[in-house]
């Protein structure tokens, strides 16, 4: 029996670790999901258990290599960003994979800004709102100041997708999508590393920059395999849309972060954009993508847990709540803010605490929560659209299953064609496509993403 020729992709999220096999038409033929328990770093801060992750990747891949069904022709890696792996001269990992939510001591960031210019200046030049470890370049600066002995042993610092590629090839490289995702490393006007990176000598620690579509043909366990250099997951999720759609669009990628990605807006960021949590990503070709983001999924999870406790509902109850038009119309008659948000930095009225007393039921409070989150969502989408001629919005990710969210999107963006796309493959598919030369046409999304046009609400009392 002939083995099926496939492309393998590891898609490493913060929560779910996924492995896919795709055939030559990008159809999924195999998948495996796992969740791995976290460990802690030397400060006791929760972080990815790197040993478990590496073992799972190697074991999963080796079992497929030995399979009678599949012949792996190529492999690529899509992962979350803002995570650097520091290697010594022998390729050994020197530190934990520091969690991008770990706080950096104020004395270290103060020293950085005193040396290289204020927060707003650095943020604007690197198109990276200042967010501590989430700006992965600052992780290196932090390491140099806090653990100089370990820092002195670093031979290479690789972003996580490129480290996974290195695991298979032994070749250290950098590529645009990982460098360009809120890292503080890239000067978007200069189209090069920022001056501070050179001043610190950090450019010496990164591998040579190669195009994201690069691959390394090598022999792995006696089999000839094309190995990709990895890709940042947000850029990867955008890629199938870019490759199959020529007219301008905005992609709203929802999950832990809600990210509005506009690949047709090359406006330079100004300080006001930074204050609104706008940033730039780099496309696989090094062009800029204007984006705006907020920590919507994270906030949603925190607030929904509290609603469950308050109203005596089990976690998961919220998934069944359907949009209630009468309830919505009643709530917006007297707009006000009732929720104290905990993880969102966007400007809004500050509350000392959440007030749920006006809401008799879980459903009512839940609708109010979605109204308040939607206000911020509208703001971030409008910022990302800017002055570009966009008439179409695609929504993908976890919130496409949220009936209230989707109805409110259709309502507030009724002048756009709003489409929900359901592909559980997300960033994995982009990682498979980027190392293939196969062209796709405009029917590709329709056939593979279960697209659904949202109908604007006819709100009548």
């Amino acid at each position: 029996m002939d083995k099926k020729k496939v492309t393998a992709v590891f898609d490493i999220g913060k929560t779910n670790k996924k492995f896919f096999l795709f055939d030559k038409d990008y159809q999924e033929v195999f998948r495996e999901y796992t969740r791995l328990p976290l460990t802690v770093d030397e400060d006791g801060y929760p972080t990815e258990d790197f040993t478990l992750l590496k073992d799972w990747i190697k074991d999963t891949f080796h079992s497929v290599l030995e399979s009678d069904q599949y012949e792996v022709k190529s492999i690529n890696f899509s992962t979350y960003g803002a995570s650097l792996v520091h290697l010594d001269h022998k390729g050994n990992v020197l530190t934990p994979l520091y969690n991008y939510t770990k706080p950096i001591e104020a004395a270290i960031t103060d020293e950085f800004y005193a040396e290289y210019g204020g927060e707003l200046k650095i943020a604007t030049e690197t198109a990276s709102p200042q967010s501590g470890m989430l700006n992965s370049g600052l992780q290196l600066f932090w390491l140099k100041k806090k653990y100089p002995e370990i820092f002195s042993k670093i031979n290479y610092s690789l972003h996580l997708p490129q480290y996974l590629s290195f695991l298979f090839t032994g070749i250290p490289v950098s590529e645009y999508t990982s460098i360009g995702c809120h890292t503080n490393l890239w000067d978007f006007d200069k189209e090069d590393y920022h001056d501070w990176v050179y001043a610190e000598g950090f450019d010496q620690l990164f591998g040579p920059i190669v195009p994201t579509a690069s691959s390394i043909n090598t022999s792995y366990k006696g089999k000839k395999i094309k190995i990709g250099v990895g890709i940042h997951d947000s850029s990867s999720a955008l890629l199938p849309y870019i490759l199959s759609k020529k007219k301008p669009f905005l992609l709203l990628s929802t999950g832990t972060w809600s990210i509005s990605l506009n690949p047709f807006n090359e406006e330079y960021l100004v300080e006001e954009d930074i204050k609104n949590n706008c940033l730039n990503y780099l496309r696989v070709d090094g062009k800029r993508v204007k984006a705006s983001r907020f920590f919507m999924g994270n906030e949603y999870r925190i607030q929904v847990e509290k609603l469950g406790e308050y109203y005596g509902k089990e976690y998961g109850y919220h998934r069944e709540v359907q949009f209630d038009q009468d309830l919505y119309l009643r709530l917006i008659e007297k707009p006000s803010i009732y929720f104290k948000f905990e993880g969102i930095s966007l400007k809004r009225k500050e509350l000392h605490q959440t007030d749920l007393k006006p809401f008799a039921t879980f459903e009512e409070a839940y609708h109010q929560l979605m109204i308040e989150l939607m206000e911020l969502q509208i703001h971030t989408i409008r910022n990302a659209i800017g002055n570009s001629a966009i008439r179409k919005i695609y929504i993908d990710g976890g919130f496409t299953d949220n009936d209230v969210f989707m109805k409110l999107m259709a309502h507030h963006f009724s002048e756009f064609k709003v489409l929900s796309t359901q592909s559980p493959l997300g960033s994995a598919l982009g990682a498979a496509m980027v190392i293939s030369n196969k062209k796709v046409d405009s029917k590709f999304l329709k056939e593979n993403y279960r697209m659904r046009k949202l109908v604007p609400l006819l709100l009548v009392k």
Side-chain angles (χ1 to χ4, degrees), residues 132-384:
M133 285 277 194
L134 201 56
N135 310 125
S136 55
L138 277 179
Q139 292 180 27
L140 262 176
F141 188 83
W142 168 82
L143 198 60
K144 184 178 180 180
K145 298 299 172 186
K146 189 165 181 182
Y147 299 112
E149 213 172 284
I150 294 174
F151 179 83
S152 66
K153 294 178 183 163
I154 297 177
N155 189 34
Y156 281 108
S157 287
L158 303 179
H159 279 101
L160 183 55
Q162 285 68 61
Y163 173 71
L164 297 186
S165 176
F166 174 86
L167 268 183
F168 288 81
T169 65
I171 299 171
V173 296
S174 299
E175 58 75 48
Y176 288 118
T177 69
S178 291
I179 297 167
C181 67
H182 50 76
T183 61
N184 254 26
L185 295 170
W186 196 252
D187 186 321
F188 277 75
D189 295 348
K190 209 171 69 170
E191 297 187 348
D192 191 2
Y193 287 122
H194 195 278
D195 290 346
W196 82 262
V197 178
Y198 288 109
E200 290 289 337
F202 291 174
D203 57 301
Q204 302 294 314
L205 302 178
F206 304 131
I209 299 175
V210 299
T212 314
S214 306
S215 55
I216 295 148
N217 290 313
T218 187
S219 178
Y220 184 83
K221 298 236 170 248
K223 299 183 193 307
K224 282 189 176 167
I225 297 178
K226 183 162 84 163
I227 299 176
V229 297
I231 181 170
H232 174 239
D233 55 10
S234 295
S235 301
S236 190
L238 183 61
L239 197 63
Y241 296 87
I242 290 176
L243 291 177
S244 56
K245 293 291 173 191
K246 299 295 171 266
K247 287 185 180 169
F249 63 83
L250 178 128
L251 173 63
L252 178 65
S253 180
T254 64
T256 304
W257 289 88
S258 175
I259 307 175
S260 305
L261 294 152
N262 181 355
F264 302 92
N265 185 338
E266 295 194 26
E267 293 172 314
Y268 285 63
L269 294 192
V270 295
E271 290 186 354
E272 193 57 33
D273 288 320
I274 294 295
K275 288 174 185 169
N276 285 321
N277 220 353
C278 287
L279 62 157
N280 282 151
Y281 286 93
L282 286 176
R283 283 166 55 157
V284 295
D285 55 7
K287 286 183 183 167
R288 66 171 79 205
V289 172
K290 188 173 184 187
S292 61
R293 64 174 184 202
F294 77 117
F295 220 3
M296 182 174 77
N298 183 67
E299 190 66 47
Y300 175 79
R301 181 184 53 76
I302 292 168
Q303 298 297 344
V304 160
E305 280 177 8
K306 291 185 172 180
L307 289 186
E309 283 169 26
Y310 186 88
Y311 292 98
K313 303 292 185 189
E314 281 185 20
Y315 189 78
Y317 180 81
H318 61 281
R319 295 194 188 103
E320 308 306 317
V321 178
Q322 298 294 300
F323 180 73
D324 182 324
Q325 182 174 302
D326 295 340
L327 195 52
Y328 174 69
L329 288 170
R330 197 169 79 238
L331 289 171
I332 60 169
E333 264 176 12
K334 294 179 187 162
S336 188
I337 287 177
Y338 295 91
F339 284 86
K340 176 180 167 54
F341 286 166
E342 298 185 16
I344 290 175
S345 57
L346 293 172
K347 277 187 243 152
R348 68 198 291 269
K349 193 174 101 184
E350 278 301 311
L351 295 181
H352 292 301
Q353 62 187 58
T354 295
D355 177 17
L356 295 176
K357 288 195 292 296
F359 309 110
T361 63
F362 180 100
E363 285 74 7
E364 201 174 333
Y366 181 84
H367 273 67
Q368 179 62 33
L369 170 65
M370 296 313 298
I371 288 167
E372 291 186 32
L373 286 172
M374 183 55 66
E375 277 178 23
L376 298 178
Q377 184 65 87
I378 292 163
H379 183 60
T380 55
I381 289 173
R382 300 276 180 203
N383 278 335

Side-chain angles (χ1 to χ4, degrees), residues 4 15 30 35 86 110 123 176 215 235 246 255 273 280 284 318 335 390 437-438:
K4 189 182 270 287
T15 308
F30 177 85
R35 287 186 175 196
H86 310 291
D110 290 349
Y176 288 118
S215 55
S235 301
K246 299 295 171 266
D273 288 320
N280 282 151
V284 295
H318 61 281
I390 279 176
N437 299 320
K438 185 177 156 64

Side-chain angles (χ1 to χ4, degrees), residues 27 237-247 249 251 392 394 396 419-423 426 429 433 440-452:
Q27 297 302 304
L238 183 61
L239 197 63
Y241 296 87
I242 290 176
L243 291 177
S244 56
K245 293 291 173 191
K246 299 295 171 266
K247 287 185 180 169
F249 63 83
L251 173 63
K392 195 174 278 188
Y394 295 109
D396 78 7
L419 296 129
S420 110
T421 71
Q422 286 196 306
S423 166
L429 190 57
M433 294 171 92
V440 291
D441 61 22
S442 57
K443 292 192 204 111
F444 180 81
L445 287 181
K446 204 171 190 176
E447 288 165 2
N448 293 276
Y449 275 57
R450 301 207 301 282
M451 288 207 155
R452 200 164 48 85

